[in-house]
Amino acid sequence: MATKGTFDSSVELDGFAIVEADDGVPFRATTAYTHRTWARTYSSLPELFIQPQSLAEVEKAVNLARKYRRRITTVGSGHSPSDMTCTSSWLVNLDRFNKVISIDKATGICVLQAGIRLYQLSEELAAVGLALPSLGSINEQSIAGAISTGTHGSSLQHGLVSESIVALKITLADGHTHSCSTEDNPDLFRAALLSVGALGIIAEVTFKAVPAFSLAWDQAIDSDARILEQWDSKLWTQADFVRVWWFPYMRRAVVWKADVVPADDLASGRVKHRNPPASFYDGALGYYVYHNLLAIARWIPRITPWIEWFVFGMQYGFSNGEQTKVSAVQPSQQAFLMDCLYSQFVNEWAIPLSKGPEALERLGAWLNRLQPGDPGYVDHKIPFSAEGLWVHSPMEVRASNTTAKTSAEQKNRPWLDPTPKDEPAVYLNATMYRPYHRDPTYAATERYYKAFEWLMRDLGGKPHWAKTFAVSTAEFQDWYGDDFTQFQRVRDQVDPDGMFVGPWHRRYLLGGSTQTADGVAQRLPLEEVGFATEPAKAGGGFVVHGSQRNAVPN
């Protein structure tokens, strides 16, 4: 392997050189690079780390990968806690391919290079009086990453971020960049709207923004019983955007709700921007107190409910109701955001919105080991014991409605959209923190997630593609039906040799390989095969190693 460096025309790899004629197109490839997920749950050592700055450079990277028999993985912020973005082959990062190509303020149509991060895009849009119509809780992802993993906000008026995508350009394994939309190659469009990196490199995004807006929001904490009582009547319809954070041991929940402020009210001064009052939790003291308490709980798990009571009581108050209310008025791109705090595992599923109360009641009864006659008791039916198990909080609860703006008939619903087709969804986000990048007790986390996933399956759920989950290809095929088949068909057509296929895709999308007569596993010619996962020597998490049996020059 060559020493660390950046090369415009040649790279020395494993005894042979990648040498290209000077065509005026740089090949910006760096060796000796370590890729880590944001949470440092996984890392890998790609053979090359490539940062193109133009479409011609993106296409060149793909053409070289095909010539030299390499797999390509594309990564943005690496915010997924899974090994989806890990590779020992070539890793492409689009952080330097991040320009706004054009903005039509009158129509809101924006053309973007796909590496632009959401916070950069928000700034560019705000400068011309536009905004993203909805955001999740963070804005670190690239627009391509947000599309590819099914990022969503929390509103019955909005679904996935991808619902605002008008058209895409994607560089496929043939080295050419192809356009797609609802009218131009709609099957590729529906696959690319949630592609989990399995099709190619999303290069250009045409996006419909909305006029800039601000949100007047407030939040208060109350008993979860009161929240559940309001679930079907007004909880999710009381404002334009609603989020809930559930605390299972305190049996309380915070409700955050936000409405769009009329532009005239801001212009006239009747409403003015103001930030919420700072709390214990928002400062450095709260950050480190909680972090260190979580670290202590690795050794004394039984204090976890007390930590929940203390930390979030200090943040939201120890009483319930209106007296705990705080409020603010902020530009939308600021109001949507939430600090993710520490390294974490995240297991998030979408279930039908109508099943939400049952999910929280059953999970609460299981976690608190309630018995008949206890307040809040229900028969949870979860076939795992919760004895000795203590989990982290809060659980984020968000609603999303992909039936509002997307559908199969309009050809803009992703084949792999995990939400119901006939009603809104509620996402439940089960987080386990990794204080100082150290895992909580593995056996406990595994049992919690097994129980959580069992319950989500029982309620007709599907996992968020970017998170941690344990699901077989056969299950996905059963849940998605023909949509899964159609996605696989498009994937096979545009990448028959598996240039964009790695162990994660084999595990969840393609299924276990078939066996030849001599017992050798059949794989796609360029597919990367995972053969080892080992604990990292420093910083926690795991190092993933892969192999390409056909990774030799043509």
Side-chain angles (χ1 to χ4, degrees):
M1 177 66 71
T3 57
K4 185 173 183 179
T6 301
F7 309 83
D8 281 349
S9 59
S10 66
V11 186
E12 185 75 21
L13 294 175
D14 297 332
F16 69 90
I18 295 177
V19 181
E20 294 301 303
D22 185 7
D23 56 5
V25 179
F27 180 52
R28 305 177 198 271
T30 302
T31 59
Y33 176 82
T34 300
H35 163 63
R36 294 183 177 90
T37 61
W38 170 83
R40 292 179 177 257
T41 45
Y42 288 96
S43 62
S44 62
L45 304 172
E47 185 178 46
L48 289 180
F49 180 65
I50 305 164
Q51 287 192 299
Q53 297 182 22
S54 68
L55 181 57
E57 292 180 41
V58 172
E59 292 176 338
K60 182 168 186 173
V62 172
N63 283 318
L64 287 174
R66 187 176 63 255
K67 178 177 179 179
Y68 289 96
R69 314 295 291 169
R70 258 51 180 184
R71 177 211 175 189
I72 283 183
T73 303
T74 310
V75 68
S77 64
H79 211 272
S80 170
S82 76
D83 60 340
M84 177 192 290
T85 57
C86 290
T87 183
S88 295
S89 193
W90 290 7
L91 186 65
V92 171
N93 170 265
L94 300 181
D95 280 354
R96 297 179 183 177
F97 188 62
N98 64 347
K99 293 181 175 58
V100 174
I101 298 171
S102 66
I103 297 179
D104 186 330
K105 185 175 179 180
T107 64
I109 297 297
C110 314
V111 183
L112 321 164
Q113 291 180 337
I116 191 168
R117 299 292 185 96
L118 294 181
Y119 70 85
Q120 296 170 324
L121 176 56
S122 293
E123 292 170 359
E124 296 275 1
L125 293 175
V128 295
L130 296 173
L132 295 159
S134 180
L135 270 173
S137 297
I138 59 171
N139 60 0
E140 293 293 326
Q141 310 105 310
S142 67
I143 187 67
I147 295 166
S148 298
T149 55
T151 297
H152 62 95
S154 188
S155 170
L156 292 187
Q157 301 174 29
H158 300 280
L160 306 183
V161 169
S162 62
E163 71 183 10
S164 297
I165 304 299
V166 176
L168 295 169
K169 289 185 179 179
I170 180 168
T171 303
L172 300 178
D174 61 7
H176 298 293
T177 301
H178 300 252
S179 299
C180 57
S181 67
T182 57
E183 291 148 3
D184 178 15
N185 205 346
D187 281 2
L188 178 61
F189 186 60
R190 291 187 67 184
L193 284 174
L194 204 169
S195 68
V196 290
L199 303 180
I201 300 175
I202 294 176
E204 187 177 293
V205 178
T206 301
F207 186 93
K208 185 172 177 58
V210 299
F213 62 99
S214 293
L215 292 173
W217 64 262
D218 64 65
Q219 67 182 29
I221 190 167
D222 211 333
S223 68
D224 63 1
R226 182 172 173 80
I227 304 306
L228 295 177
E229 287 173 3
Q230 299 174 350
W231 190 281
D232 294 327
S233 58
K234 71 172 188 177
L235 178 62
W236 302 105
T237 58
Q238 62 186 309
D240 295 326
F241 300 90
V242 180
R243 290 184 293 197
V244 174
W245 292 282
W246 179 57
F247 301 91
Y249 297 123
M250 294 192 296
R251 302 312 301 261
R252 302 169 79 197
V254 171
V255 177
W256 178 96
K257 58 183 187 294
D259 281 308
V260 175
V261 179
D264 289 346
D265 286 354
L266 282 173
S268 67
R270 288 191 296 271
V271 177
K272 296 181 180 180
H273 286 129
R274 54 184 174 82
N275 291 323
S279 73
F280 156 86
Y281 185 82
D282 298 319
L285 178 62
Y287 179 90
Y288 287 109
V289 165
Y290 188 31
H291 205 174
N292 287 313
L293 287 174
L294 288 170
I296 294 171
R298 290 184 71 246
W299 306 107
I300 315 173
R302 295 181 66 87
I303 70 172
T304 303
W306 177 86
I307 294 173
E308 180 181 286
W309 171 83
F310 173 73
V311 170
F312 296 104
M314 292 293 291
Q315 181 184 8
Y316 298 111
F318 293 95
S319 57
N320 288 341
E322 284 294 312
Q323 60 266 43
T324 65
K325 183 177 177 179
V326 296
S327 62
V329 180
Q330 296 174 304
S332 62
Q333 67 270 21
Q334 183 180 354
F336 283 129
L337 301 183
M338 183 189 75
D339 190 347
C340 286
L341 294 177
Y342 323 113
S343 172
Q344 57 196 247
F345 293 115
V346 185
N347 197 329
E348 182 176 358
W349 287 55
I351 64 174
L353 183 64
S354 59
K355 299 286 188 180
E358 181 182 352
L360 296 181
E361 288 172 341
R362 291 171 65 182
L363 190 60
W366 181 74
L367 287 172
N368 288 288
R369 298 176 277 282
L370 299 183
Q371 300 298 316
D374 291 341
Y377 169 79
V378 297
D379 184 2
H380 57 71
K381 302 178 183 176
I382 297 173
F384 301 95
S385 172
E387 290 300 324
L389 176 68
W390 308 98
V391 306
H392 297 158
S393 57
M395 174 176 284
E396 190 175 44
V397 183
R398 290 182 287 167
S400 176
N401 187 6
T402 59
T403 68
K405 295 182 175 68
T406 64
S407 67
E409 292 72 24
Q410 297 176 80
K411 301 179 182 178
N412 64 349
R413 179 182 172 90
W415 297 117
L416 296 184
D417 186 335
T419 62
K421 294 180 180 181
D422 54 356
E423 72 168 280
V426 63
Y427 286 87
L428 303 182
N429 182 319
T431 297
M432 289 293 283
Y433 289 116
R434 304 176 65 247
Y436 298 103
H437 300 291
R438 300 301 179 189
D439 294 339
T441 305
Y442 177 76
T445 304
E446 183 181 38
R447 180 154 44 106
Y448 176 36
Y449 281 167
K450 280 184 176 180
F452 176 72
E453 292 189 349
W454 184 93
L455 180 60
M456 295 299 99
R457 285 177 170 91
D458 194 49
L459 296 173
K462 302 186 191 76
H464 188 310
W465 289 102
K467 311 302 184 182
T468 300
F469 54 83
V471 176
S472 69
T473 305
E475 286 181 296
F476 280 129
Q477 179 69 71
D478 181 53
W479 296 340
Y480 282 90
D482 186 60
D483 284 352
F484 198 71
T485 301
Q486 295 302 325
F487 178 86
Q488 290 176 315
R489 173 183 60 80
V490 175
R491 205 227 66 78
D492 292 345
Q493 287 175 348
V494 300
D495 183 24
D497 289 340
M499 179 185 289
F500 297 97
V501 172
W504 187 96
H505 303 99
R506 172 60 63 183
R507 193 158 66 240
Y508 299 120
L509 295 180
L510 305 181
S513 63
T514 57
Q515 303 290 319
T516 61
D518 58 0
V520 177
Q522 290 181 332
R523 300 283 180 167
L524 299 173
L526 299 185
E527 178 180 348
E528 182 178 11
V529 180
F531 65 87
T533 300
E534 62 182 4
K537 294 180 180 178
F542 296 90
V543 179
V544 178
H545 301 280
S547 174
Q548 283 182 289
R549 292 172 300 170
N550 298 316
V552 294
N554 277 344

